[in-house]
Amino acid sequence: MKQLNEFLIPFIGLKLGKHQFEYQISKEFFDHYEYDEFEDSKIVVHVVLEKKSSMLELTFKHKGTVHVPCDLTGEMFDLPVKGSTHVVVQFGDAYNDDNDELLILPHGEHQINVAQIIYEMIALSVPLKRVHPGVADGSLKSETLDKLNEILVTDVTEVKEEEDTDPRWDELKKLLTDK
């Protein structure tokens, strides 16, 4: 897979302290990962890189919307998403990203690719069940909901008792009402 160069942060020339980066995430970013769970996205990611003498600390925060279908009605809507994550970057003999909160880069590395971290953070912030907000408050108008409302049983008391009952049971029912 081709690297996304705009997500490479060269930290070798940065002074000690905090440095801020901002990324606009759109559908093309997720196309790179062949992730097609949503039609479009408008997400802003803020990254704060704190460079220390022996390690780096990265704080990621994202907020925006993804255009997804409702799981109940199939109607498309903009689902708000937000989240954050924190990653500590240390230096070692070999690259290791087994831990979600600790990334080990080889000695001599001069840049870090944050694209994978951003992708995972956003993908995990989207809820598994996506329900259009109009479903809960009743303001959504769709063919699916209209059809469901047509077949909805509104009054359970309309169920009629069978007229052909056993006469022995009728006599027993009279005993209950004679008290």
Side-chain angles (χ1 to χ4, degrees), residues 46-112:
H46 297 282
V47 179
V48 177
L49 181 142
E50 185 174 356
K51 184 175 180 182
K52 298 183 178 181
S53 59
S54 62
M55 67 177 181
L56 305 170
E57 288 187 24
L58 294 162
T59 304
F60 297 85
K61 291 184 181 178
H62 74 280
K63 186 174 185 179
T65 60
V66 291
H67 197 66
V68 295
C70 174
D71 290 336
L72 298 176
T73 63
E75 297 288 321
M76 299 299 288
F77 72 103
D78 287 332
L79 178 69
V81 293
K82 66 179 181 176
S84 63
T85 190
H86 186 77
V87 177
V88 175
V89 180
Q90 293 183 337
F91 299 95
D93 294 332
Y95 180 86
N96 185 348
D97 64 351
D98 291 343
N99 190 331
D100 292 340
E101 297 174 356
L102 177 65
L103 176 65
I104 298 176
L105 293 178
H107 292 289
E109 190 71 34
H110 64 281
Q111 63 186 5
I112 182 171

Side-chain angles (χ1 to χ4, degrees), residues 8-41:
L8 290 174
I9 299 177
F11 56 83
I12 198 73
L14 297 177
K15 295 181 181 179
L16 295 180
K18 292 185 178 184
H19 306 277
Q20 296 185 5
F21 302 90
E22 182 176 295
Y23 300 100
Q24 303 291 327
I25 306 298
S26 63
K27 176 73 169 126
E28 289 78 28
F29 176 79
F30 294 102
D31 289 343
H32 179 76
Y33 288 96
E34 298 176 3
Y35 186 76
D36 58 356
E37 287 292 314
F38 25 87
E39 299 293 319
D40 195 16
S41 64

